[in-house]
Amino acid sequence: QVQLVESGGDSVQTGGSLKLSCAASGPSSSFDCLGWFRQVPGKDREAIATIYTRDGRKNYAGSMRDRFTISQDSGKNTAYLDIHSLKPEDTAIYYCAAVRVGDTWFCSTERAFTDWGRGTQVTVSS
């Protein structure tokens, strides 16, 4: 089983930036695809981006490519999410997730993930 711990959430002003981190621990063979998602209480979870840890290929959901950047430090088993030009509608709990898919092309935001972190809160005020 993979343990995921998110950090970096904060309260920021509109237009600010944040860098979220997701530290993954557990057998490296148990996951090769990391993803970022967000959820506002009472609403559906929204996919943001994924990264295939073995080759770094990235996949973004819809318009998320504009202000969100996913990256990784494979040596540290850590994934990052840079968010720029933050807006009040970005306020949510941001979650990291992991899954083993076996091939870079199977790592996408449409994939069902098996392990989840507890999330980190991002609040954007106007």
Side-chain angles (χ1 to χ4, degrees):
Q1 187 176 2
V2 182
Q3 290 78 45
L4 302 163
V5 179
E6 304 94 335
S7 61
D10 204 351
S11 296
V12 298
Q13 297 285 326
T14 296
S17 299
L18 280 175
K19 187 180 185 79
L20 307 183
S21 299
C22 169
S25 60
S28 58
S29 60
S30 59
F31 70 96
D32 54 14
C33 178
L34 293 172
W36 281 101
F37 300 78
R38 68 182 183 184
Q39 188 169 24
V40 176
K43 295 189 176 181
D44 291 338
R45 184 170 59 210
E46 185 176 24
I48 300 173
T50 61
I51 188 164
Y52 189 64
T53 61
R54 304 195 191 286
D55 66 5
R57 189 184 73 86
K58 305 171 186 180
N59 176 258
Y60 293 89
S63 63
M64 295 297 184
R65 185 186 301 272
D66 296 340
R67 299 184 296 112
F68 296 81
T69 303
I70 191 170
S71 60
Q72 68 169 348
D73 182 335
S74 56
K76 296 181 179 179
N77 272 350
T78 300
Y80 304 98
L81 185 69
D82 285 285
I83 316 172
H84 301 287
S85 302
L86 280 156
K87 306 174 182 180
E89 50 264 44
D90 293 321
T91 296
I93 301 173
Y94 285 71
Y95 296 92
C96 177
V99 65
R100 174 170 172 77
V101 297
D103 186 281
T104 187
W105 299 109
F106 296 156
C107 181
S108 76
T109 57
E110 298 180 351
R111 187 76 186 186
F113 284 73
T114 55
D115 297 283
W116 294 82
R118 294 188 174 185
T120 185
Q121 176 71 47
V122 172
T123 303
V124 185
S125 57
S126 56

